[in-house]
Amino acid sequence: MGSTGMGALQDKVAVVTGAAGGIGKEIAHAFFLEGAKIAIADLKAEQAGATAKEFDPSGKRAMGVGMDVGDEQAVDNGMAKVLATFGRIDILVSNAGIQHIAPIDELEFSQWKKLMAVHLDGAFLTTRAALRAMYKHGEGGSIIYMGSVHSKEASPLKAPYVTAKHGLIGLAKVVAKEGAKHKVRANVICPGYVWTPLVQKQIPETAKARGISEESVIKDVMLRDTVDGEFTTTADVAAAAVFFASFKSNALTGQSLIVSHGWSME
Ligand code: NAD
């Protein structure tokens, strides 16, 4: 906040998917502190509502929206609710995501499709709804995709995740080109390992699949290639999101930014 009390996102309306917990919640909170109105969209509807209350007990600047981002009707209904409540959408953070650990020869088609539905169908459906609102309103906007170091590099046992995260960069580039004349920017944040439930869950799974200890998964798989052996934090990722969301011109669009303690330097 500056001395005027105005935040960098004063009175902007932001939809953050997967924001009932983890990285999405931290981004939503950072936006809230910068003056934005926040829609917390999550599969966990009750938790989304509780998170909104936690930010703003008065309910004026934060709302929870139950939404499966892979479901067309659910996304369109949810985004319509946000528009009905806040009147506009300026920022979308397509963040909802899941992980599944398995080698390709053992990977079930249903798991592949589930990952694609959340990451790619979810990004497309929320983008389409947000763009329709932004184009209609005529004041531009910012779309941010939650990529990963796995948008740039691969790890074994994560085929659908790596595929989907690479795909988001393609989508962001198309949105950047199509959105430019409407002053809509699109960028991707690519975090390294962040200590959230998504990562905690994959530690025992990776240990089992690779036949190593859980301690070794953290030290040798997750953090070995960082410059300092540290996890990226949700606050680090939220700071990058505020930067993209508040950037004022089309100079910064179609880009991807790695925030990973040097895990990836591509
Ligand atoms: P998380 O599991 O803590 O939170 C994910 C949230 O998404 C949860 O609240 C969950 O309910 C919600 N969600 C899941 N499926 C959904 C659906 N179909 N519709 C709506 N909401 C849904 O995970 P996180 O670590 O905070 O991950 C957030 C994003 O960041 C993901 O896209 C993930 O791939 C990405 N990411 C995470 C890391 C990391 O190390 N944690 C690193 C790079 C990228």
Side-chain angles (χ1 to χ4, degrees):
M1 290 274 210
S3 54
T4 57
M6 294 278 281
L9 302 173
Q10 200 65 39
D11 300 328
K12 300 285 186 199
V13 174
V15 179
V16 185
T17 69
I23 293 171
K25 182 176 177 182
E26 187 84 26
I27 291 173
H29 193 231
F31 285 4
F32 181 79
L33 293 177
E34 291 292 347
K37 295 175 184 162
I38 303 297
I40 291 149
D42 205 288
L43 197 54
K44 296 176 187 151
E46 215 169 290
Q47 215 172 306
T51 302
K53 276 244 160 60
E54 193 184 313
F55 291 176
D56 183 10
S58 81
K60 284 196 190 115
R61 286 212 291 125
M63 67 185 286
V65 186
M67 179 194 291
D68 176 353
V69 295
D71 178 327
E72 183 177 21
Q73 205 57 53
V75 170
D76 287 346
N77 290 345
M79 298 297 260
K81 260 189 222 161
V82 178
L83 280 172
T85 307
F86 292 143
R88 55 193 286 164
I89 294 171
D90 302 285
I91 302 158
L92 165 68
V93 184
S94 172
N95 165 80
I98 54 173
Q99 179 60 281
H100 185 74
I101 303 294
I104 295 171
D105 58 315
E106 289 172 20
L107 182 63
E108 285 172 26
F109 189 35
S110 60
Q111 283 295 350
W112 170 272
K113 284 198 279 200
K114 193 172 164 197
L115 264 282
M116 294 305 147
V118 178
H119 290 275
L120 292 180
D121 297 358
F124 161 66
L125 290 170
T126 53
T127 296
R128 188 179 65 178
L131 285 180
R132 286 173 177 166
M134 288 169 180
Y135 291 175
K136 201 166 162 202
H137 203 71
E139 289 186 30
S142 175
I143 297 188
I144 299 167
Y145 298 99
M146 196 49 61
S148 161
V149 284
H150 288 109
S151 298
K152 309 271 183 178
E153 302 194 17
S155 292
L157 311 175
K158 294 185 177 177
Y161 188 85
V162 170
T163 304
K165 290 301 191 191
H166 275 66
L168 290 176
I169 291 188
L171 177 61
K173 288 176 178 173
V174 178
V175 175
K177 294 209 171 197
E178 291 187 9
K181 62 177 176 292
H182 303 276
K183 291 199 165 51
V184 175
R185 294 169 285 285
N187 294 287
V188 186
I189 302 174
C190 300
Y193 284 95
V194 183
W195 193 253
T196 68
L198 181 137
V199 158
Q200 287 154 25
K201 185 174 168 285
Q202 66 184 274
I203 291 171
E205 293 170 7
T206 305
K208 196 166 161 236
R210 294 200 186 209
I212 57 177
S213 70
E214 293 189 16
E215 202 181 27
S216 173
V217 171
I218 295 175
K219 239 179 98 209
D220 302 321
V221 178
M222 295 182 166
L223 302 180
R224 192 194 56 206
D225 292 329
T226 61
V227 293
D228 52 11
E230 287 193 25
F231 278 100
T232 299
T233 65
T234 54
D236 295 325
V237 181
V242 169
F243 177 68
F244 275 135
S246 59
F247 202 86
K248 300 269 184 274
S249 80
N250 280 348
L252 186 63
T253 194
Q255 304 304 306
S256 49
L257 180 67
I258 302 172
V259 185
S260 72
H261 283 259
W263 192 98
S264 170
M265 294 192 184
E266 192 186 290

